[in-house]
Amino acid sequence: SFCNIIPENCVQLRNLILSAIPKGIPLHDPISSDFKIDRLPEISQSPLILSNVVGPLMVFKSDLDGYLRNQQPTDFFTKMVPLLRKEGKNEMDAPKINSLVLYVGIQGLARLQNDQISSGLGRSPEMDVFQKLMELDDHGRYLSLNAIANQLRYPSSHTHYFSCVMLYLFNETKDDGVKEQITRVLLERLITQRPHPWGLLITFIELIKNTKYQFWSHPFTRCATEIEKVFQNVARSCMPTSSRGSGSGDGDAPQ
């Protein structure tokens, strides 16, 4: 609910709110060499949600539920996209997209156990919805990716699920523009002053460390000297010392 009223350019304020954690939840060191999010006991716990998630979705919730249940109606996406716009305008409605992303994620978690998220994510109707959001125009896609990034918070089932969603979208898309926009959404939250949400850090670290994503081989990481230095500086702050300056698959790690 807070994120619905924070202007898009107030990145540090959003980080401050999303960095809040419940009492008693430990923040495991994400740059530890033996860190594995799927081994954390906290990822079996779902966060308490007090906001009205379904309210903005009521106009198409029955069709959404039908699609998530049995991929019906077949023309669901044709109907859904216009309903994500502000009433009487061609502009996408951020609160609707925020609610859609969170609601679909909750349904996805109900379908999958935590140990099945990485393997079963791509074969789910929930991922069909997320991938459809990547087909929106640049601003609609930016809002959608920010809605996903808003769920990258303290250790929980939601953080684990949406981290896997973000990484899956990066890995599966053939559009370098989508990969670049995913990187932008993560990076613009990391180049601000601390605090940075824990889930944001673990997602970005996985993206730049895991050779599966070939992050450093993409042209947008070296499109300009200034941009390259920003990537390298953020990577140095996120990566364990032993990983800096080492090879990273098809691309070079930050020097």
Side-chain angles (χ1 to χ4, degrees), residues 23-78:
K23 185 177 180 180
I25 297 291
L27 292 181
H28 304 269
D29 182 4
I31 65 173
S32 170
S33 59
D34 59 352
F35 174 82
K36 297 289 184 184
I37 187 173
D38 52 0
R39 296 179 184 172
L40 303 182
E42 292 80 16
I43 68 167
S44 64
Q45 304 169 16
S46 296
L48 179 64
I49 299 174
L50 300 178
S51 58
N52 182 12
V53 177
V54 301
L57 308 177
M58 290 309 297
V59 69
F60 63 93
K61 182 178 179 296
S62 60
D63 282 347
L64 173 61
D65 288 338
Y67 184 83
L68 296 180
R69 188 166 51 248
N70 53 27
Q71 288 77 62
Q72 295 292 331
T74 55
D75 61 348
F76 168 68
F77 290 126
T78 303

Short mmCIF file of all heavy atoms in Angstrom, two decimals, residues 23-78:
data_model
loop_
_atom_site.label_atom_id
_atom_site.label_comp_id
_atom_site.label_asym_id
_atom_site.label_seq_id
_atom_site.Cartn_x
_atom_site.Cartn_y
_atom_site.Cartn_z
N LYS A 23 10.29 -8.35 13.79
CA LYS A 23 11.17 -8.67 14.89
C LYS A 23 11.46 -10.17 14.92
O LYS A 23 10.57 -10.99 14.78
CB LYS A 23 10.52 -8.24 16.21
CG LYS A 23 11.41 -8.41 17.43
CD LYS A 23 10.71 -7.89 18.68
CE LYS A 23 11.59 -8.04 19.91
NZ LYS A 23 10.91 -7.53 21.12
N GLY A 24 12.73 -10.51 15.08
CA GLY A 24 13.11 -11.91 15.20
C GLY A 24 13.51 -12.59 13.92
O GLY A 24 13.96 -13.74 13.93
N ILE A 25 13.38 -11.90 12.77
CA ILE A 25 13.78 -12.49 11.49
C ILE A 25 15.25 -12.17 11.24
O ILE A 25 15.63 -11.00 11.14
CB ILE A 25 12.93 -11.95 10.32
CG1 ILE A 25 11.46 -12.31 10.50
CG2 ILE A 25 13.45 -12.48 8.99
CD1 ILE A 25 11.16 -13.77 10.35
N PRO A 26 16.12 -13.18 11.14
CA PRO A 26 17.54 -12.91 10.90
C PRO A 26 17.80 -12.58 9.43
O PRO A 26 17.11 -13.09 8.54
CB PRO A 26 18.22 -14.23 11.28
CG PRO A 26 17.17 -15.28 11.00
CD PRO A 26 15.85 -14.62 11.31
N LEU A 27 18.78 -11.72 9.19
CA LEU A 27 19.19 -11.39 7.82
C LEU A 27 20.51 -12.11 7.54
O LEU A 27 21.57 -11.65 7.96
CB LEU A 27 19.34 -9.87 7.64
CG LEU A 27 18.06 -9.05 7.69
CD1 LEU A 27 18.37 -7.58 7.47
CD2 LEU A 27 17.05 -9.54 6.66
N HIS A 28 20.45 -13.22 6.85
CA HIS A 28 21.64 -14.02 6.56
C HIS A 28 22.52 -13.26 5.57
O HIS A 28 22.04 -12.56 4.69
CB HIS A 28 21.22 -15.36 5.98
CG HIS A 28 20.29 -16.13 6.88
ND1 HIS A 28 20.74 -17.02 7.82
CD2 HIS A 28 18.93 -16.12 6.97
CE1 HIS A 28 19.69 -17.54 8.46
NE2 HIS A 28 18.59 -17.00 7.97
N ASP A 29 23.82 -13.44 5.74
CA ASP A 29 24.80 -12.74 4.90
C ASP A 29 24.71 -13.24 3.46
O ASP A 29 25.08 -14.38 3.17
CB ASP A 29 26.20 -12.97 5.45
CG ASP A 29 27.27 -12.22 4.67
OD1 ASP A 29 26.91 -11.45 3.75
OD2 ASP A 29 28.46 -12.39 4.98
N PRO A 30 24.25 -12.41 2.51
CA PRO A 30 24.07 -12.88 1.14
C PRO A 30 25.37 -13.03 0.36
O PRO A 30 25.37 -13.62 -0.73
CB PRO A 30 23.18 -11.80 0.51
CG PRO A 30 23.49 -10.57 1.27
CD PRO A 30 23.79 -11.01 2.67
N ILE A 31 26.48 -12.48 0.89
CA ILE A 31 27.75 -12.62 0.16
C ILE A 31 28.62 -13.73 0.74
O ILE A 31 29.75 -13.92 0.32
CB ILE A 31 28.55 -11.30 0.12
CG1 ILE A 31 28.99 -10.87 1.52
CG2 ILE A 31 27.73 -10.20 -0.55
CD1 ILE A 31 29.92 -9.66 1.50
N SER A 32 28.07 -14.48 1.68
CA SER A 32 28.79 -15.63 2.21
C SER A 32 28.94 -16.68 1.12
O SER A 32 28.03 -16.91 0.31
CB SER A 32 28.03 -16.22 3.40
OG SER A 32 28.57 -17.45 3.79
N SER A 33 30.07 -17.34 1.08
CA SER A 33 30.35 -18.31 0.02
C SER A 33 29.43 -19.52 0.07
O SER A 33 29.20 -20.19 -0.94
CB SER A 33 31.81 -18.78 0.10
OG SER A 33 32.07 -19.38 1.37
N ASP A 34 28.88 -19.83 1.25
CA ASP A 34 28.00 -21.00 1.36
C ASP A 34 26.53 -20.61 1.46
O ASP A 34 25.69 -21.43 1.83
CB ASP A 34 28.40 -21.85 2.57
CG ASP A 34 28.32 -21.07 3.89
OD1 ASP A 34 28.12 -19.83 3.84
OD2 ASP A 34 28.47 -21.70 4.96
N PHE A 35 26.19 -19.38 1.09
CA PHE A 35 24.81 -18.92 1.18
C PHE A 35 23.95 -19.59 0.11
O PHE A 35 24.28 -19.58 -1.08
CB PHE A 35 24.74 -17.40 1.01
CG PHE A 35 23.34 -16.86 0.94
CD1 PHE A 35 22.62 -16.64 2.10
CD2 PHE A 35 22.72 -16.60 -0.28
CE1 PHE A 35 21.31 -16.16 2.05
CE2 PHE A 35 21.43 -16.11 -0.34
CZ PHE A 35 20.72 -15.90 0.83
N LYS A 36 22.83 -20.17 0.53
CA LYS A 36 21.85 -20.76 -0.38
C LYS A 36 20.46 -20.40 0.15
O LYS A 36 20.06 -20.86 1.22
CB LYS A 36 21.98 -22.29 -0.45
CG LYS A 36 23.31 -22.79 -1.01
CD LYS A 36 23.42 -22.53 -2.49
CE LYS A 36 24.71 -23.12 -3.06
NZ LYS A 36 24.89 -22.80 -4.50
N ILE A 37 19.73 -19.59 -0.61
CA ILE A 37 18.43 -19.14 -0.11
C ILE A 37 17.46 -20.28 0.09
O ILE A 37 16.65 -20.27 1.03
CB ILE A 37 17.82 -18.07 -1.05
CG1 ILE A 37 16.55 -17.48 -0.41
CG2 ILE A 37 17.54 -18.63 -2.44
CD1 ILE A 37 15.96 -16.32 -1.16
N ASP A 38 17.53 -21.31 -0.75
CA ASP A 38 16.55 -22.40 -0.62
C ASP A 38 16.81 -23.29 0.59
O ASP A 38 16.03 -24.21 0.86
CB ASP A 38 16.50 -23.24 -1.90
CG ASP A 38 17.85 -23.73 -2.35
OD1 ASP A 38 18.86 -23.42 -1.69
OD2 ASP A 38 17.92 -24.41 -3.39
N ARG A 39 17.90 -23.02 1.33
CA ARG A 39 18.17 -23.79 2.55
C ARG A 39 17.75 -23.03 3.81
O ARG A 39 17.88 -23.56 4.92
CB ARG A 39 19.67 -24.12 2.63
CG ARG A 39 20.16 -25.02 1.50
CD ARG A 39 21.65 -25.28 1.64
NE ARG A 39 22.18 -26.06 0.52
CZ ARG A 39 23.47 -26.30 0.32
NH1 ARG A 39 24.36 -25.80 1.18
NH2 ARG A 39 23.87 -27.00 -0.72
N LEU A 40 17.29 -21.82 3.65
CA LEU A 40 16.93 -21.01 4.82
C LEU A 40 15.56 -21.42 5.35
O LEU A 40 14.60 -21.55 4.59
CB LEU A 40 16.90 -19.52 4.45
CG LEU A 40 18.18 -18.93 3.86
CD1 LEU A 40 17.99 -17.44 3.59
CD2 LEU A 40 19.36 -19.15 4.80
N PRO A 41 15.42 -21.61 6.66
CA PRO A 41 14.12 -21.99 7.22
C PRO A 41 13.06 -20.89 7.05
O PRO A 41 11.87 -21.19 6.96
CB PRO A 41 14.42 -22.24 8.71
CG PRO A 41 15.69 -21.49 8.98
CD PRO A 41 16.47 -21.54 7.69
N GLU A 42 13.51 -19.64 6.95
CA GLU A 42 12.57 -18.52 6.86
C GLU A 42 11.77 -18.51 5.56
O GLU A 42 10.68 -17.90 5.49
CB GLU A 42 13.30 -17.17 7.01
CG GLU A 42 13.88 -16.91 8.37
CD GLU A 42 15.21 -17.62 8.58
OE1 GLU A 42 15.82 -18.07 7.59
OE2 GLU A 42 15.64 -17.74 9.75
N ILE A 43 12.25 -19.17 4.51
CA ILE A 43 11.54 -19.11 3.24
C ILE A 43 10.28 -19.97 3.23
O ILE A 43 9.51 -19.95 2.26
CB ILE A 43 12.43 -19.51 2.04
CG1 ILE A 43 12.80 -20.99 2.10
CG2 ILE A 43 13.66 -18.63 1.96
CD1 ILE A 43 13.39 -21.50 0.81
N SER A 44 10.03 -20.69 4.31
CA SER A 44 8.78 -21.43 4.43
C SER A 44 7.68 -20.57 5.05
O SER A 44 6.53 -20.99 5.13
CB SER A 44 8.98 -22.69 5.27
OG SER A 44 9.34 -22.36 6.60
N GLN A 45 8.05 -19.36 5.48
CA GLN A 45 7.09 -18.48 6.15
C GLN A 45 6.64 -17.37 5.20
O GLN A 45 7.46 -16.71 4.57
CB GLN A 45 7.73 -17.86 7.39
CG GLN A 45 8.29 -18.88 8.38
CD GLN A 45 9.15 -18.24 9.45
OE1 GLN A 45 9.13 -17.04 9.64
NE2 GLN A 45 9.92 -19.07 10.15
N SER A 46 5.32 -17.16 5.13
CA SER A 46 4.78 -16.09 4.29
C SER A 46 4.60 -14.83 5.12
O SER A 46 4.23 -14.90 6.29
CB SER A 46 3.43 -16.51 3.69
OG SER A 46 3.59 -17.61 2.83
N PRO A 47 4.84 -13.66 4.53
CA PRO A 47 4.65 -12.41 5.27
C PRO A 47 3.18 -12.12 5.50
O PRO A 47 2.31 -12.57 4.73
CB PRO A 47 5.28 -11.36 4.34
CG PRO A 47 5.17 -11.95 2.97
CD PRO A 47 5.32 -13.43 3.15
N LEU A 48 2.90 -11.40 6.56
CA LEU A 48 1.53 -10.99 6.86
C LEU A 48 1.14 -9.84 5.94
O LEU A 48 1.85 -8.82 5.87
CB LEU A 48 1.42 -10.55 8.33
CG LEU A 48 0.06 -10.06 8.80
CD1 LEU A 48 -0.97 -11.19 8.73
CD2 LEU A 48 0.17 -9.51 10.23
N ILE A 49 0.03 -9.98 5.22
CA ILE A 49 -0.42 -8.95 4.29
C ILE A 49 -1.75 -8.39 4.79
O ILE A 49 -2.74 -9.12 4.88
CB ILE A 49 -0.58 -9.52 2.87
CG1 ILE A 49 0.76 -10.03 2.36
CG2 ILE A 49 -1.14 -8.46 1.92
CD1 ILE A 49 0.68 -10.74 1.04
N LEU A 50 -1.75 -7.10 5.11
CA LEU A 50 -2.94 -6.47 5.66
C LEU A 50 -3.67 -5.61 4.63
O LEU A 50 -4.80 -5.20 4.86
CB LEU A 50 -2.56 -5.61 6.88
CG LEU A 50 -1.90 -6.36 8.04
CD1 LEU A 50 -1.54 -5.38 9.15
CD2 LEU A 50 -2.83 -7.44 8.58
N SER A 51 -3.02 -5.34 3.51
CA SER A 51 -3.64 -4.48 2.50
C SER A 51 -4.65 -5.27 1.68
O SER A 51 -4.64 -6.51 1.65
CB SER A 51 -2.57 -3.89 1.58
OG SER A 51 -1.83 -4.91 0.95
N ASN A 52 -5.54 -4.57 1.01
CA ASN A 52 -6.58 -5.19 0.18
C ASN A 52 -6.00 -5.49 -1.20
O ASN A 52 -6.07 -4.68 -2.11
CB ASN A 52 -7.78 -4.24 0.07
CG ASN A 52 -8.91 -4.86 -0.74
OD1 ASN A 52 -8.91 -6.06 -1.03
ND2 ASN A 52 -9.87 -4.04 -1.13
N VAL A 53 -5.44 -6.67 -1.34
CA VAL A 53 -4.76 -7.04 -2.59
C VAL A 53 -5.75 -7.18 -3.74
O VAL A 53 -5.48 -6.75 -4.87
CB VAL A 53 -3.96 -8.35 -2.41
CG1 VAL A 53 -3.31 -8.77 -3.72
CG2 VAL A 53 -2.91 -8.18 -1.32
N VAL A 54 -6.90 -7.76 -3.47
CA VAL A 54 -7.83 -8.09 -4.57
C VAL A 54 -8.70 -6.92 -4.99
O VAL A 54 -9.30 -6.95 -6.07
CB VAL A 54 -8.72 -9.30 -4.20
CG1 VAL A 54 -7.88 -10.52 -3.89
CG2 VAL A 54 -9.63 -8.97 -3.02
N GLY A 55 -8.79 -5.89 -4.16
CA GLY A 55 -9.67 -4.77 -4.47
C GLY A 55 -9.51 -4.20 -5.87
O GLY A 55 -10.49 -4.11 -6.63
N PRO A 56 -8.29 -3.83 -6.28
CA PRO A 56 -8.11 -3.26 -7.62
C PRO A 56 -8.33 -4.26 -8.76
O PRO A 56 -8.39 -3.86 -9.92
CB PRO A 56 -6.63 -2.79 -7.60
CG PRO A 56 -6.28 -2.65 -6.15
CD PRO A 56 -7.06 -3.74 -5.47
N LEU A 57 -8.47 -5.55 -8.42
CA LEU A 57 -8.58 -6.59 -9.46
C LEU A 57 -9.99 -7.09 -9.66
O LEU A 57 -10.22 -7.96 -10.52
CB LEU A 57 -7.68 -7.79 -9.09
CG LEU A 57 -6.22 -7.50 -8.75
CD1 LEU A 57 -5.53 -8.79 -8.34
CD2 LEU A 57 -5.51 -6.85 -9.92
N MET A 58 -10.94 -6.56 -8.91
CA MET A 58 -12.28 -7.14 -8.90
C MET A 58 -12.94 -7.17 -10.28
O MET A 58 -13.71 -8.09 -10.58
CB MET A 58 -13.18 -6.38 -7.91
CG MET A 58 -12.80 -6.62 -6.46
SD MET A 58 -12.64 -8.37 -5.99
CE MET A 58 -14.32 -8.94 -6.28
N VAL A 59 -12.61 -6.20 -11.13
CA VAL A 59 -13.26 -6.14 -12.43
C VAL A 59 -12.91 -7.33 -13.32
O VAL A 59 -13.67 -7.70 -14.21
CB VAL A 59 -12.93 -4.80 -13.14
CG1 VAL A 59 -11.46 -4.76 -13.55
CG2 VAL A 59 -13.83 -4.58 -14.35
N PHE A 60 -11.78 -7.97 -13.07
CA PHE A 60 -11.42 -9.16 -13.87
C PHE A 60 -10.92 -10.32 -13.02
O PHE A 60 -10.34 -11.27 -13.54
CB PHE A 60 -10.38 -8.81 -14.94
CG PHE A 60 -9.05 -8.33 -14.42
CD1 PHE A 60 -8.00 -9.21 -14.21
CD2 PHE A 60 -8.83 -6.98 -14.18
CE1 PHE A 60 -6.76 -8.78 -13.76
CE2 PHE A 60 -7.59 -6.53 -13.73
CZ PHE A 60 -6.56 -7.43 -13.51
N LYS A 61 -11.18 -10.29 -11.71
CA LYS A 61 -10.66 -11.35 -10.83
C LYS A 61 -11.22 -12.73 -11.17
O LYS A 61 -10.50 -13.73 -11.10
CB LYS A 61 -10.97 -11.02 -9.37
CG LYS A 61 -10.41 -12.05 -8.39
CD LYS A 61 -10.69 -11.66 -6.95
CE LYS A 61 -10.16 -12.71 -6.00
NZ LYS A 61 -10.83 -14.03 -6.14
N SER A 62 -12.50 -12.81 -11.53
CA SER A 62 -13.07 -14.12 -11.83
C SER A 62 -12.40 -14.75 -13.05
O SER A 62 -12.09 -15.95 -13.07
CB SER A 62 -14.58 -14.02 -12.06
OG SER A 62 -14.86 -13.15 -13.14
N ASP A 63 -12.13 -13.93 -14.08
CA ASP A 63 -11.42 -14.44 -15.25
C ASP A 63 -9.98 -14.80 -14.90
O ASP A 63 -9.43 -15.79 -15.40
CB ASP A 63 -11.43 -13.40 -16.37
CG ASP A 63 -12.77 -13.35 -17.11
OD1 ASP A 63 -13.58 -14.27 -16.93
OD2 ASP A 63 -12.98 -12.39 -17.87
N LEU A 64 -9.35 -13.98 -14.04
CA LEU A 64 -7.98 -14.27 -13.61
C LEU A 64 -7.92 -15.59 -12.87
O LEU A 64 -7.04 -16.43 -13.14
CB LEU A 64 -7.47 -13.13 -12.73
CG LEU A 64 -6.11 -13.32 -12.06
CD1 LEU A 64 -5.01 -13.50 -13.10
CD2 LEU A 64 -5.79 -12.12 -11.15
N ASP A 65 -8.84 -15.79 -11.94
CA ASP A 65 -8.86 -17.05 -11.19
C ASP A 65 -9.09 -18.24 -12.12
O ASP A 65 -8.49 -19.31 -11.95
CB ASP A 65 -9.95 -17.02 -10.12
CG ASP A 65 -9.60 -16.10 -8.96
OD1 ASP A 65 -8.40 -15.83 -8.76
OD2 ASP A 65 -10.52 -15.66 -8.26
N GLY A 66 -9.97 -18.05 -13.11
CA GLY A 66 -10.22 -19.12 -14.07
C GLY A 66 -8.98 -19.46 -14.86
O GLY A 66 -8.68 -20.65 -15.09
N TYR A 67 -8.23 -18.44 -15.25
CA TYR A 67 -7.01 -18.71 -16.02
C TYR A 67 -5.97 -19.42 -15.15
O TYR A 67 -5.32 -20.37 -15.60
CB TYR A 67 -6.43 -17.42 -16.59
CG TYR A 67 -5.24 -17.71 -17.48
CD1 TYR A 67 -5.41 -18.08 -18.81
CD2 TYR A 67 -3.94 -17.69 -16.97
CE1 TYR A 67 -4.33 -18.41 -19.61
CE2 TYR A 67 -2.86 -18.01 -17.76
CZ TYR A 67 -3.06 -18.37 -19.08
OH TYR A 67 -1.98 -18.71 -19.86
N LEU A 68 -5.80 -18.97 -13.92
CA LEU A 68 -4.81 -19.59 -13.04
C LEU A 68 -5.21 -21.02 -12.68
O LEU A 68 -4.34 -21.86 -12.42
CB LEU A 68 -4.65 -18.76 -11.77
CG LEU A 68 -4.10 -17.33 -11.95
CD1 LEU A 68 -4.00 -16.63 -10.60
CD2 LEU A 68 -2.74 -17.34 -12.65
N ARG A 69 -6.49 -21.30 -12.71
CA ARG A 69 -6.97 -22.64 -12.35
C ARG A 69 -6.88 -23.62 -13.52
O ARG A 69 -6.40 -24.74 -13.36
CB ARG A 69 -8.42 -22.55 -11.85
CG ARG A 69 -8.98 -23.82 -11.27
CD ARG A 69 -10.28 -23.56 -10.50
NE ARG A 69 -11.22 -22.78 -11.30
CZ ARG A 69 -11.58 -21.52 -11.01
NH1 ARG A 69 -11.03 -20.89 -9.96
NH2 ARG A 69 -12.45 -20.86 -11.76
N ASN A 70 -7.32 -23.20 -14.70
CA ASN A 70 -7.34 -24.15 -15.84
C ASN A 70 -7.07 -23.50 -17.19
O ASN A 70 -7.47 -24.02 -18.22
CB ASN A 70 -8.67 -24.91 -15.87
CG ASN A 70 -9.87 -23.96 -15.87
OD1 ASN A 70 -9.75 -22.82 -16.32
ND2 ASN A 70 -10.99 -24.42 -15.36
N GLN A 71 -6.38 -22.34 -17.18
CA GLN A 71 -6.03 -21.62 -18.41
C GLN A 71 -7.24 -21.24 -19.25
O GLN A 71 -7.16 -21.20 -20.48
CB GLN A 71 -5.03 -22.42 -19.27
CG GLN A 71 -3.62 -22.49 -18.70
CD GLN A 71 -3.50 -23.47 -17.55
OE1 GLN A 71 -3.73 -24.66 -17.72
NE2 GLN A 71 -3.15 -22.98 -16.38
N GLN A 72 -8.36 -20.95 -18.59
CA GLN A 72 -9.57 -20.48 -19.26
C GLN A 72 -10.03 -19.17 -18.60
O GLN A 72 -9.86 -19.01 -17.39
CB GLN A 72 -10.68 -21.54 -19.16
CG GLN A 72 -10.38 -22.84 -19.87
CD GLN A 72 -10.35 -22.68 -21.39
OE1 GLN A 72 -11.03 -21.81 -21.93
NE2 GLN A 72 -9.56 -23.51 -22.05
N PRO A 73 -10.57 -18.23 -19.35
CA PRO A 73 -10.85 -18.27 -20.79
C PRO A 73 -9.59 -18.07 -21.63
O PRO A 73 -8.61 -17.49 -21.17
CB PRO A 73 -11.82 -17.09 -20.98
CG PRO A 73 -11.43 -16.13 -19.89
CD PRO A 73 -11.03 -16.97 -18.72
N THR A 74 -9.63 -18.57 -22.85
CA THR A 74 -8.45 -18.52 -23.71
C THR A 74 -8.10 -17.10 -24.13
O THR A 74 -6.95 -16.82 -24.49
CB THR A 74 -8.67 -19.38 -24.97
OG1 THR A 74 -9.87 -18.94 -25.64
CG2 THR A 74 -8.81 -20.85 -24.60
N ASP A 75 -9.07 -16.19 -24.11
CA ASP A 75 -8.80 -14.80 -24.50
C ASP A 75 -8.55 -13.91 -23.28
O ASP A 75 -8.71 -12.69 -23.34
CB ASP A 75 -9.95 -14.24 -25.33
CG ASP A 75 -11.27 -14.21 -24.55
OD1 ASP A 75 -11.35 -14.84 -23.46
OD2 ASP A 75 -12.22 -13.54 -25.03
N PHE A 76 -8.15 -14.53 -22.16
CA PHE A 76 -7.98 -13.78 -20.92
C PHE A 76 -7.02 -12.60 -21.08
O PHE A 76 -7.30 -11.49 -20.65
CB PHE A 76 -7.50 -14.70 -19.79
CG PHE A 76 -7.04 -13.96 -18.58
CD1 PHE A 76 -7.95 -13.25 -17.80
CD2 PHE A 76 -5.69 -13.92 -18.23
CE1 PHE A 76 -7.52 -12.53 -16.68
CE2 PHE A 76 -5.27 -13.21 -17.12
CZ PHE A 76 -6.19 -12.52 -16.34
N PHE A 77 -5.86 -12.85 -21.70
CA PHE A 77 -4.85 -11.79 -21.80
C PHE A 77 -5.33 -10.63 -22.68
O PHE A 77 -4.99 -9.47 -22.43
CB PHE A 77 -3.53 -12.35 -22.32
CG PHE A 77 -2.83 -13.24 -21.34
CD1 PHE A 77 -2.45 -14.53 -21.69
CD2 PHE A 77 -2.59 -12.82 -20.04
CE1 PHE A 77 -1.81 -15.35 -20.79
CE2 PHE A 77 -1.95 -13.64 -19.12
CZ PHE A 77 -1.56 -14.91 -19.50
N THR A 78 -6.11 -10.94 -23.70
CA THR A 78 -6.66 -9.89 -24.55
C THR A 78 -7.55 -8.96 -23.73
O THR A 78 -7.55 -7.73 -23.92
CB THR A 78 -7.47 -10.51 -25.70
OG1 THR A 78 -6.63 -11.40 -26.44
CG2 THR A 78 -7.99 -9.42 -26.63
#
